Amino acid sequence: IISFKSPETPTKRLIFISSEIQSNMSNKNASSNTDHQPIRLLARSKQAVELYTLPDTSSATEATKIKKGGTILHEGKTTLHVLSPNGQVVFIHDVSVGLLRSDLTENSANYKAQTFLKEDSKAVQLAKCSPRGSFLVTWERHSGVNNLKVWESNNGTLLTSFSCKKATLTGLQWTHDEKFAFHLVTNEIHIYDANTWKRVGKVRCQGVSSFSLPSVKGVAP
């Protein structure tokens, strides 16, 4: 859904519907048979970023009491933390070193967050993951150079960057499968191939101010 204003009408909406929405309802039920995974809770305080593992709520016999204290991923002054969509990776920003990455698929001894970006990231103020967690997008205060940056979330390689004076990450979004990325600019939304970051199209909307895409594959109602 793309919302915008024009002099002729106070508000207009342009609906962008993917053909994926027409998929069979059986896809919705397929995930119900997957193994239950413990719930991971990420908490940030003034002292540290900690990971708590909650009991599996699918079983009534599981204990509901959480052990006091979590696994410390990083100690120090942090400004933000982001948990990947599948809960396997955590990104933490420390003002003294920049963005850090903690791989939660490793043994607990290796949970400690480590630097991974190929460029300086101390100035980062906002961050989020793409729907499948393949990309990490960050925003830092505009200083005359591109400040909205897209990184490869596994190895920290800078893939592309844009100029964005407003402190927001909503102007860059992916389709649920991460095949295409949409970027909001003045009066247009540019469409990119997310593998090559070459522009493959655009949507012209006079006065467009925001837009949204589904983060999961749609199913018929």
Side-chain angles (χ1 to χ4, degrees):
I1 301 176
I2 303 170
S3 301
F4 61 98
K5 295 181 179 180
S6 69
E8 294 79 10
T9 57
T11 305
K12 294 182 180 179
R13 286 182 179 177
L14 175 65
I15 309 298
F16 183 87
I17 303 177
S18 169
S19 60
E20 297 279 351
I21 296 179
Q22 303 303 320
S23 61
N24 193 290
M25 269 295 288
S26 61
N27 292 334
K28 183 178 181 180
N29 299 325
S31 60
S32 62
N33 295 324
T34 57
D35 294 334
H36 291 281
Q37 298 294 330
I39 300 172
R40 278 173 166 168
L41 174 67
L42 196 63
R44 182 172 68 90
S45 65
K46 293 182 179 179
Q47 291 77 30
V49 175
E50 297 178 85
L51 178 71
Y52 293 81
T53 300
L54 282 63
D56 182 357
T57 57
S58 64
S59 174
T61 60
E62 288 284 355
T64 57
K65 187 177 180 180
I66 311 301
K67 292 182 179 180
K68 185 177 180 181
T71 301
I72 296 178
L73 304 182
H74 181 71
E75 293 182 279
K77 185 179 180 181
T78 60
T79 59
L80 63 88
H81 65 275
V82 178
L83 187 63
S84 66
N86 62 7
Q88 295 182 350
V89 178
V90 174
F91 301 97
I92 301 168
H93 183 261
D94 185 309
V95 293
S96 62
V97 295
L99 268 173
L100 307 168
R101 183 180 188 274
S102 177
D103 188 349
L104 304 184
T105 62
E106 301 291 339
N107 296 327
S108 58
N110 297 322
Y111 278 0
K112 294 294 183 180
Q114 301 176 352
T115 56
F116 78 108
L117 295 184
K118 305 298 183 184
E119 298 185 16
D120 181 33
S121 58
K122 294 179 182 179
V124 168
Q125 297 184 14
L126 301 173
K128 74 172 183 180
C129 290
S130 57
R132 291 187 174 182
S134 303
F135 306 99
L136 181 72
V137 56
T138 62
W139 182 91
E140 54 195 71
R141 190 176 300 277
H142 193 271
S143 59
V145 296
N146 288 353
N147 60 321
L148 184 67
K149 301 177 180 180
V150 181
W151 312 83
E152 218 293 327
S153 64
N154 286 330
N155 57 33
T157 300
L158 180 64
L159 300 175
T160 190
S161 60
F162 305 94
S163 177
C164 180
K165 294 183 179 180
K166 188 177 180 180
T168 179
L169 299 174
T170 59
L172 182 63
Q173 300 180 37
W174 282 262
T175 52
H176 71 90
D177 54 9
E178 297 184 347
K179 290 183 178 180
F180 297 97
F182 291 65
H183 179 230
L184 177 66
V185 298
T186 304
N187 297 324
E188 292 181 348
I189 299 171
H190 293 173
I191 306 172
Y192 293 85
D193 181 327
N195 289 321
T196 63
W197 288 99
K198 292 182 179 180
R199 205 172 88 182
V200 295
K202 67 179 180 180
V203 178
R204 177 73 179 178
C205 300
Q206 189 67 30
V208 61
S209 59
S210 64
F211 72 100
S212 60
L213 292 167
S215 59
V216 296
K217 185 176 182 179
V219 294

